[in-house]
Amino acid sequence: MVRASITLVETSSQGHIALVFDANFHITDSTGKIVASTSDDVDVSVAKIGGANKDRIITVAFSQDGSLFATCNNEKTVTIYNTADWTAVRSLIIAKRATAITFDPSGAYLLIADKFGEVHRTPTALSADEVASKPELLLGHVSIVCDVKMSYGSPSYVLTCDRDEKLRVSKYPNAYNIQSFGLGHTEFVTTIATAQFAPNNAVTGSGDGTLRLWDISSGQLVQTVDLQELLEPYYTDGRVLMGVSNFEDRNAATQRYGVLRVRSIEGQRMFVAAVERFPVVVVLSFGEGPALANVRVVDVARPVADVAVLGDRIVAAYAPPSGETDSDDLAVVLEPTNGDLTTDVTLSAALNALSTQQIEAAAPAPSIYVWGNKMYMDPPKDDED
């Protein structure tokens, strides 16, 4: 038996860390102490979160003020929690399987992107006499929507990206008014990051192995950062392996640099990215121009499955161990120290001491190049999927 790895990590402006493992999640404070959990295997003093998911959780989000937390699982159940006492304030079944969720700036609505290329929104709370209605359709793409984010500042935009290589910027809440398209990626676009320090810009990551900086008002591509130039040595010296086990739908001899997630580090005016299969995080400063500068590759112990930002610290969740000699650490936390990034030993140790659940074996996560392939069809669970 082995300990289940963390599949998603999310942080809040109130200092909470959400650690998702399969159908359950822990909520810790900024010291790594569990304050709430859906798991039964926690201390009796920990708040037990009701309305637990019965299936794998695929996306989570905190509201901007940290007062709400939402999850969506593979059974298409969305649950919204009040983080003051971790009670469920809303639960609903959506029609299509979600790919990403985010709250609007007010926290009054949750936006839900799905595999059929649509983004809906639903109120986060209902009054006693209000009848729940179907989520409102905001916008549509012609392929899978991979991520959805809100811009900062005014006017407010909703940003979406898809499997057809594009970024779309739509006015909010009247998202039928398209502000711009960001065109330039040559593979599916997996992730979007916006930042308070750059309200008119966004950074995207893609299966084409690039990070791109955009002007969201015009859709102009401002800058491209090619990760191959930074990360190819990891293939050369064997720290990252090519092969069928990594990319089942692509040539076994192909090097890939797929970006899993990009986040903003507000206090440092930086962005951080996780790259599939690589035991690194990539950190980029945001400077005048605007421009991404001082690109650094920071080594960690194992490939990273997800990354989030807690204040000035980076929380990187590890992918499942690939060999018996690998440690079963869940995560590592990096903190700025004299212009460098070093391990926050105390918080890292606290997170790695947490129990998740015991499983027979850790299954490797499917490559993003499987579902990113335009020929790939996700088999539905039922006719409505």
Side-chain angles (χ1 to χ4, degrees):
M1 301 291 284
V2 297
R3 180 170 58 165
S5 297
I6 301 300
T7 52
L8 297 170
V9 59
E10 192 76 23
T11 55
S12 84
S13 57
Q14 294 185 0
H16 287 125
I17 307 171
L19 302 168
V20 177
F21 48 101
D22 196 42
N24 287 292
F25 61 89
H26 294 321
I27 303 294
T28 80
D29 61 17
S30 59
T31 69
K33 177 183 177 182
I34 297 178
V35 296
S37 178
T38 60
S39 174
D40 293 325
D41 300 327
V42 292
D43 191 272
V44 293
S45 63
V46 172
K48 183 67 168 66
I49 300 176
N53 295 277
K54 297 179 181 178
D55 205 342
R56 181 174 59 91
I57 298 172
I58 53 180
T59 180
V60 298
F62 281 101
S63 60
Q64 286 188 14
D65 65 2
S67 65
L68 297 171
F69 176 68
T71 68
C72 185
N73 68 12
N74 213 33
E75 288 185 330
K76 300 175 285 185
T77 300
V78 174
T79 309
I80 303 173
Y81 301 92
N82 182 334
T83 62
D85 56 10
W86 294 102
T87 56
V89 295
R90 272 210 76 187
S91 183
L92 65 150
I93 306 296
I94 56 177
K96 309 298 181 183
R97 233 180 295 173
T99 53
I101 57 176
T102 194
F103 289 89
D104 77 354
S106 70
Y109 290 92
L110 180 71
L111 279 62
I112 305 165
D114 65 39
K115 289 191 173 183
F116 278 70
E118 295 178 343
V119 176
H120 294 78
R121 73 170 187 171
T122 189
T124 54
L126 298 175
S127 62
D129 58 350
E130 190 175 357
V131 178
S133 59
K134 290 184 178 180
E136 170 194 1
L137 177 63
L138 279 183
L139 60 92
H141 289 237
V142 295
S143 66
I144 293 175
V145 177
C146 303
D147 200 7
V148 56
K149 288 291 188 294
M150 297 297 304
S151 68
Y152 290 91
S154 181
S156 188
Y157 298 112
V158 54
L159 286 74
T160 48
C161 60
D162 64 24
R163 196 168 64 173
D164 284 348
E165 302 111 22
K166 63 180 179 293
L167 169 71
R168 170 175 164 169
V169 181
S170 309
K171 295 182 178 180
Y172 182 81
N174 299 319
Y176 50 81
N177 289 319
I178 300 174
Q179 176 68 24
S180 65
F181 284 105
L183 305 176
H185 281 295
T186 58
E187 287 269 16
F188 53 93
V189 186
T190 48
T191 179
I192 306 168
T194 56
Q196 295 182 56
F197 58 75
N200 197 44
N201 295 102
V203 175
T204 56
S206 167
D208 65 11
T210 66
L211 297 165
R212 299 187 188 233
L213 176 66
W214 306 90
D215 181 293
I216 60 177
S217 295
S218 66
Q220 179 182 356
L221 175 60
V222 178
Q223 184 182 359
T224 300
V225 177
D226 187 348
L227 294 177
Q228 180 174 358
E229 298 175 3
L230 300 167
L231 300 179
E232 189 171 22
Y234 288 79
Y235 279 116
T236 304
D237 63 19
R239 282 177 287 176
V240 176
L241 301 178
M242 297 178 288
V244 174
S245 62
N246 280 3
F247 311 115
E248 296 176 1
D249 68 320
R250 299 297 177 96
N251 187 313
T254 300
Q255 295 181 2
R256 295 289 174 182
Y257 305 88
V259 182
L260 296 172
R261 184 87 73 181
V262 183
R263 307 275 196 177
S264 63
I265 310 175
E266 293 290 346
Q268 299 291 309
R269 294 177 62 86
M270 292 178 177
F271 292 93
V272 59
V275 183
E276 184 179 67
R277 314 293 184 186
F278 281 81
V280 303
V281 294
V282 180
V283 181
L284 312 94
S285 299
F286 182 81
E288 297 297 328
L292 300 173
N294 302 321
V295 183
R296 289 179 287 167
V297 177
V298 181
D299 290 335
V300 294
R302 292 211 316 271
V304 174
D306 199 9
V307 66
V309 174
L310 183 71
D312 289 343
R313 292 178 288 182
I314 298 168
V315 183
Y318 284 135
S322 59
E324 294 182 0
T325 60
D326 288 347
S327 75
D328 72 341
D329 283 353
L330 299 174
V332 64
V333 182
L334 304 174
E335 62 181 349
T337 306
N338 299 323
D340 201 358
L341 283 169
T342 59
T343 301
D344 181 331
V345 176
T346 302
L347 183 53
S348 296
L351 296 181
N352 289 320
L354 300 178
S355 62
T356 53
Q357 64 192 58
Q358 293 295 308
I359 57 177
E360 289 291 337
S367 170
I368 57 175
Y369 289 94
V370 176
W371 62 257
N373 186 337
K374 293 181 184 179
M375 299 300 294
Y376 173 73
M377 294 296 292
D378 189 19
K381 284 187 172 180
D382 52 59
D383 291 340
E384 294 183 336
D385 225 22

